Amino acid sequence: MLNYTIRRLFFVLFVVWGVSVATFFLSQVVPGDPALVALGDKATDEMIANFRVKNGLDKPVVAQYFSYVGRLLQGDLGTSLRTGRPIIDDLRDFFPGTLELSITALLIAALIGIPAGILAALNQNRPPDFIIRFLALIGGATPIYWLAILLLEFLHNKLRILPGPGRLDAYLIAPTRVTGFVGIDALLARDWQVFGDSLAHLILPAFVLGAFSSALLARMTRASMLETLSQDFIRTARSKGVSQSQVVIKHALRNAFLPVLTVLGGVLGGLLSGAVLTETIFSWPGVGRYTTDAAISLDFPAVMGVTLLAGMAYSIINLVTDLLYALFDPRITYA
Amino acid sequence: MLNAALPAKKQASKASRRFWRNPAAIVGLVLITLLVLIAALASVISPDPIVQNLSNRLLPPSSEHWLGTDQLGRSVWGRVAHGAALSLQVGVIVTLISVSVGVLVGLLAGTFGGIWDNVLMRVTDIFFAFPSLILAMAIAAALGPSLTNTIIAVAIVNWPSYARLVRAQALALREREFVEAARAIGTSRLGIALRHVLPNTLTPVLIQASFDIGQAILTAAGLSFIGFGAQPPTPEWGAMVSETRNFISEAPWASSAPAIAILLAVLAFNLVGDGLRDALDPRNTH
């Protein structure tokens, strides 16, 4: 297991290196001139030349790549052309927002998707199964930005039961930043009004972001549960007179959960993608919106920084899922 | 996989019978047929999608304007119908490119093994490491926003799954008797790859591709929604939802019609994908 973990860690390093090459290559095909993007149309030739020397843009591509990697190794992702700040600082500000949103979305997806999948499997080919399968099919095909627009219109604009875009109501003052998670920071500051408001603001975007994943999880759980329920050991348990609830809870769930676990990692990665759309619509100050804004203004150092970190995060999530898989299933051993 | 004991012809007819007995798959097929018909006949059966008529702004659905009009007085039906061709093209072209690249890479890696396998699969791993929409957005932003670049971006994101799928199949087949027999009579590795491995990987590829056409439509529409895909006034469904989102309270039809079109298209390909999987790969059916 230790050997396997070390091997996988090397693999993560390799993938991160590959991701750095890929993102660097991408930044080289950008049609816009980064100097013009940073300095604006009114920049003089001298200003542009200075900018290019200062940022190493006048050097050959290979030299640019090596200096890029050298800076990366020191934790320097470069400076954003748009905000003028170190990208790592920008991401430190925006990352908690995305993490808060993604984790809540994952929780919602799991709380809806997994029980729905179990319920469907236990009622195979009966009305609850049909309804859940139908909803899962629709959930998996709905464009989440439309769902977001609709829910904002009805629950916020019309019924006024949930707050609109943003992380807090405009009249509230954000708590002093400690963790970057508004809810936790409000708790630390014992500001109950801000805490309640931040939770209320989280509901809609997290539900929208989790909807697609809950459909996926429901389908996976149902399939996996049906597969498990048809196995011999379940039949044996039943023939011994074990009650239905015991069969499900003690025998089936644990085994059915394994394949579900493997998609959870993918789901978290999918949430990072979904955050791009959700954060844009809900004006949510997270990495997704930061990336969209950066890409729109051709701020390629920032796009590269996010893509690199996202690739890294994704590889680590996959590693953790694989290790968890081994933990949950004693039959799996990694040499 | 199909049961190797049954002759191929019998298997095919069994699979086809299973597919046609699946009502959900038939619904999917009917929806796709409708979409293709609408796409092909758009200019005959629907009004011009570009011409503006500001005196007809935000009209509700009526016998004259089936799906109402948008904020520039354009027929929503005209735009949705003309958008069908664009979305179908995106879905099919993206999938064709990803299948071609992915199958080639997977086949080379799985059949030749060794250094080929190592290098190709590590490249595949790197592409797998990106969250898809972030990578697609980075590519679309780098190449410049347009529908063609969206197709390239989504194809770059999608091909690795085919490479893994085909490689896994090729590795499994390498140990099968008929491949060993082919090797024993001196068939070259390329010959084995093309004659024995490739035909046997087509079933899982076909199943995956039918799902991916819908997913490609969804991703491409998402890119257009945030401004990296088709540009106005192109009647692309994602771009239409984005253009009309501010009018949702006055004219919900203007953004809902293209969104429902995306939903139905994705649903249709998912249903057919499910149906194909159930028919061709019954052991994985639930």
Side-chain angles (χ1 to χ4, degrees):
Chain A
M1 185 80 182
L2 184 70
N3 273 345
Y4 174 76
T5 313
I6 293 170
R7 228 174 41 226
R8 282 296 309 261
L9 274 175
F10 270 109
F11 173 69
V12 168
L13 282 179
F14 168 79
V15 168
V16 170
W17 168 76
V19 165
S20 81
V21 175
T23 42
F24 183 79
F25 174 76
L26 255 182
S27 71
Q28 294 298 312
V29 293
V30 190
D33 182 348
L36 273 180
V37 174
L39 302 171
D41 292 341
K42 290 184 184 137
T44 60
D45 287 349
E46 197 189 341
M47 281 162 76
I48 293 176
N50 281 340
F51 180 90
R52 297 182 73 85
V53 172
K54 192 178 150 216
N55 288 282
L57 297 173
D58 56 333
K59 296 202 181 83
V61 176
V62 178
Q64 282 189 46
Y65 173 73
F66 279 112
S67 75
Y68 168 64
V69 171
R71 288 196 308 272
L72 279 186
L73 290 175
Q74 295 164 21
D76 177 8
L77 289 173
T79 306
S80 158
L81 301 177
R82 190 172 55 94
T83 65
R85 299 175 59 207
I87 292 160
I88 196 82
D89 289 352
D90 277 348
L91 290 180
R92 210 172 281 141
D93 285 352
F94 287 106
F95 188 63
T98 299
L99 202 61
E100 200 176 29
L101 188 60
S102 306
I103 290 178
T104 318
L106 187 65
L107 271 177
I108 293 178
L111 284 176
I112 298 176
I114 295 176
I118 296 171
L119 190 70
L122 295 178
N123 293 285
Q124 192 186 8
N125 294 332
R126 287 203 293 265
D129 185 27
F130 292 133
I131 295 169
I132 288 166
R133 280 165 70 188
F134 179 72
L135 288 177
L137 271 171
I138 299 289
T142 305
I144 61 170
Y145 40 91
W146 178 59
L147 183 65
I149 297 168
L150 276 187
L151 291 178
L152 264 177
E153 173 62 16
F154 286 106
L155 299 177
H156 171 64
N157 288 342
K158 288 246 159 70
L159 301 175
R160 300 252 156 221
I161 49 174
L162 280 173
R167 242 171 138 186
L168 280 179
D169 275 344
Y171 66 89
L172 288 173
I173 298 166
T176 319
R177 190 187 167 94
V178 182
T179 60
F181 299 92
V182 175
I184 297 177
D185 287 349
L187 269 183
L188 290 174
R190 292 170 196 273
D191 190 337
W192 306 113
Q193 194 189 3
V194 169
F195 176 68
D197 192 63
S198 73
L199 284 190
H201 273 269
L202 201 52
I203 297 174
L204 261 189
F207 175 76
V208 166
L209 185 53
F212 181 85
S213 310
S214 71
L216 181 75
L217 280 176
R219 282 171 67 110
M220 267 308 288
T221 310
R222 176 181 178 275
S224 171
M225 195 68 186
L226 284 178
E227 176 84 33
T228 313
L229 286 173
S230 66
Q231 304 263 315
D232 285 344
F233 69 92
I234 296 283
R235 216 167 298 142
T236 313
R238 283 201 170 125
S239 65
K240 284 196 325 197
V242 179
S243 71
Q244 168 76 353
S245 59
Q246 286 286 313
V247 166
V248 172
I249 295 165
K250 258 183 115 176
H251 300 279
L253 266 185
R254 189 185 160 120
N255 289 286
F257 190 62
L258 274 173
V260 177
L261 187 69
T262 50
V263 291
L264 273 182
V267 165
L268 205 57
L271 290 178
L272 277 176
S273 285
V276 169
L277 295 166
T278 320
E279 288 176 1
T280 306
I281 293 169
F282 285 96
S283 308
W284 191 265
V287 176
R289 203 176 124 214
Y290 176 76
T291 321
T292 315
D293 290 344
I296 287 173
S297 48
L298 288 182
D299 178 0
F300 249 81
V303 176
M304 269 203 292
V306 174
T307 316
L308 186 76
L309 284 190
M312 216 153 85
Y314 210 17
S315 310
I316 293 171
I317 291 169
N318 280 337
L319 172 68
V320 173
T321 340
D322 277 2
L323 296 180
L324 280 178
Y325 200 83
L327 260 179
F328 275 92
D329 188 347
R331 285 171 306 180
I332 297 172
T333 48
Y334 294 105
Chain B
M1 266 300 67
L2 294 175
N3 186 347
L6 287 174
K9 241 186 181 170
K10 212 168 174 187
Q11 279 178 4
S13 81
K14 259 191 151 179
S16 132
R17 221 175 312 140
R18 269 196 297 265
F19 183 85
W20 290 109
R21 277 197 198 139
N22 183 340
I26 309 259
V27 170
L29 212 55
V30 169
L31 280 174
I32 293 174
T33 314
L34 268 177
L35 260 172
V36 172
L37 282 177
I38 291 173
L41 302 172
S43 46
V44 184
I45 56 171
S46 75
D48 187 285
I50 310 286
V51 173
Q52 303 178 6
N53 181 352
L54 293 177
S55 55
N56 276 349
R57 287 181 79 239
L58 304 173
L59 292 178
S62 63
S63 57
E64 198 185 341
H65 304 286
W66 292 4
L67 297 176
T69 61
D70 68 6
Q71 74 284 5
L72 296 174
R74 296 172 296 196
S75 156
V76 174
W77 162 236
R79 292 179 66 72
V80 168
H82 282 81
L86 290 180
S87 284
L88 280 176
Q89 267 172 35
V90 170
V92 172
I93 297 176
V94 162
T95 309
L96 279 178
I97 299 176
S98 349
V99 167
S100 318
V101 177
V103 168
L104 183 70
V105 170
L107 205 59
L108 286 175
T111 326
F112 289 89
I115 183 96
W116 282 91
D117 189 23
N118 261 319
V119 172
L120 290 174
M121 291 329 284
R122 292 304 80 80
V123 173
T124 311
D125 291 334
I126 291 167
F127 278 91
F128 248 119
F130 292 103
S132 57
L133 198 63
I134 291 184
L135 179 61
M137 189 169 75
I139 297 168
L143 300 176
S146 77
L147 203 61
T148 315
N149 291 343
T150 305
I151 292 177
I152 298 173
V154 184
I156 290 179
V157 170
N158 279 5
W159 72 265
S161 56
Y162 292 97
R164 278 197 181 172
L165 188 69
V166 170
R167 174 182 175 268
Q169 289 285 324
L171 285 184
L173 288 166
R174 218 156 54 171
E175 311 304 323
R176 292 278 292 271
E177 275 172 15
F178 67 93
V179 174
E180 269 178 31
R183 213 177 299 141
I185 57 166
T187 314
S188 70
R189 284 204 279 194
L190 188 68
I192 292 177
L194 294 178
R195 229 169 300 150
H196 300 287
V197 180
L198 185 62
N200 278 293
T201 58
L202 287 182
T203 305
V205 166
L206 180 71
I207 296 170
Q208 178 72 30
S210 55
F211 286 113
D212 275 357
I213 295 179
Q215 288 312 310
I217 292 176
L218 198 59
T219 311
L223 278 177
S224 293
F225 178 82
I226 46 175
F228 293 106
Q231 297 297 304
T234 314
E236 199 277 342
W237 292 340
M240 285 170 69
V241 180
S242 174
E243 277 179 73
T244 52
R245 58 182 280 202
N246 291 331
F247 303 94
I248 180 97
S249 56
E250 310 149 71
W253 53 86
S255 58
S256 297
I260 292 172
I262 298 172
L263 194 161
L264 289 177
V266 179
L267 184 70
F269 284 103
N270 283 352
L271 288 174
V272 170
D274 273 345
L276 282 176
R277 189 192 52 211
D278 292 356
L280 295 166
D281 193 4
R283 275 194 313 173
N284 271 332
T285 300
H286 276 302

